[in-house]
Amino acid sequence: MKVFIATKNHNKLKELERILVPMGFEVLSENNLENPLPEVEETGTSYEENALLKAHSGLKVTGLITVADDSGLSVDFLDGAPGLYSAHYSGMGASYASNNEKLLCALKGVPKEKRTATFVSAIACVFPDGREFTVRGECKGYVAEECHGDGGFGYDPLFICSAGCYAEMTPEEKDKVSHRGNALRIFKEELKKYI
Ligand code: ITT
């Protein structure tokens, strides 16, 4: 079955592909389109709403069953920030490095037990016949006091869960425990009800 993944984040795309392909899906992405995907204004008030906005935009362009992820890191000490705004935490044009730097500054001097955080991934799936569903996966951990490892992307070098730092894991190890891996395992079960 063909599934279009509506994302402009190639790291995210790789993670979604490496879980969806072994599930038997033929995965298509922006790389298979003649023109770039339109930018989607992420105006939702939840990860699920934003994931649906992105998925509907992809469906409009391709007419295929479309999957999109909206994700972020919610830090308890920061009342849930950067949360929905994780991609642009340090401003428009933010880089992963500048976001990590801002997060480290915001938590400067905060002890380990107060640096707890949850990574969240909401995955939306929309169908050409109008049906849609969302699922959510989470991973709890804490924010390290300095960057570790050189794998992954985004906040991976700062996020430590019970299995270790995301950026020090192999892709397979990350998939087993990550918010996105957890969301996709629920997604797989949910999708069976629709096909
Ligand atoms: P698309 O909207 O095109 O899918 P995006 O990167 O803008 O790509 P989001 O709006 O969902 O995606 O922002 C998610 C941000 O949260 C992402 O840019 C990272 O900074 C962070 N993030 C999400 N999942 C992550 C992961 O597994 N590891 C590290 N950081 C992650």
Side-chain angles (χ1 to χ4, degrees):
M1 193 174 71
K2 275 190 186 166
V3 169
F4 182 75
I5 301 184
T7 182
K8 288 184 164 289
N9 179 326
H10 67 273
N11 295 103
K12 212 192 250 191
L13 174 64
K14 272 196 273 175
E15 291 198 359
L16 290 162
E17 271 178 341
R18 79 179 175 243
I19 300 179
L20 289 171
V21 171
M23 288 180 186
F25 296 107
E26 183 184 341
V27 169
L28 300 170
S29 66
E30 189 178 39
N31 301 331
N32 302 97
L33 302 179
E34 266 179 37
N35 298 310
L37 273 176
E39 292 289 342
V40 176
E41 256 196 90
E42 297 184 23
T43 51
T45 55
S46 67
Y47 294 106
E48 283 79 1
E49 278 177 35
N50 282 337
L52 280 167
L53 287 172
K54 293 185 238 187
H56 278 292
S57 165
L59 169 65
K60 204 169 157 193
V61 173
T62 64
L64 295 172
I65 299 174
T66 300
V67 172
D69 160 292
D70 195 62
S71 44
L73 179 65
S74 174
V75 179
D76 297 320
F77 186 81
L78 303 175
D79 296 325
L84 286 182
Y85 309 103
S86 291
H88 305 293
Y89 184 44
S90 55
M92 291 317 281
S95 66
Y96 292 146
S98 64
N99 285 339
N100 284 334
E101 191 56 38
K102 180 166 176 183
L103 185 56
L104 282 176
C105 282
L107 293 176
K108 201 168 181 189
V110 176
K112 183 180 164 186
E113 64 275 14
K114 290 191 178 163
R115 300 171 78 95
T116 49
T118 305
F119 244 128
V120 180
S121 160
I123 295 184
C125 185
V126 299
F127 298 81
D129 64 8
R131 293 177 300 162
E132 62 183 41
F133 71 86
T134 61
V135 296
R136 176 183 277 231
E138 296 187 352
C139 180
K140 288 192 181 296
Y142 67 94
V143 179
E145 285 176 23
E146 59 187 18
C147 288
H148 299 269
D150 54 11
F153 70 100
Y155 298 95
D156 282 355
L158 287 179
F159 185 71
I160 319 270
C161 67
S162 58
C165 177
Y166 269 8
E168 290 181 319
M169 295 177 183
T170 63
E172 294 71 26
E173 284 167 346
K174 183 179 171 189
D175 293 345
K176 271 190 199 146
V177 296
S178 77
H179 50 306
R180 191 163 295 106
N182 289 333
L184 282 166
R185 280 179 283 277
I186 302 169
F187 171 85
K188 185 183 177 184
E189 292 311 308
E190 193 62 22
L191 186 62
K192 286 183 190 158
K193 300 177 193 165
Y194 288 77
I195 53 175

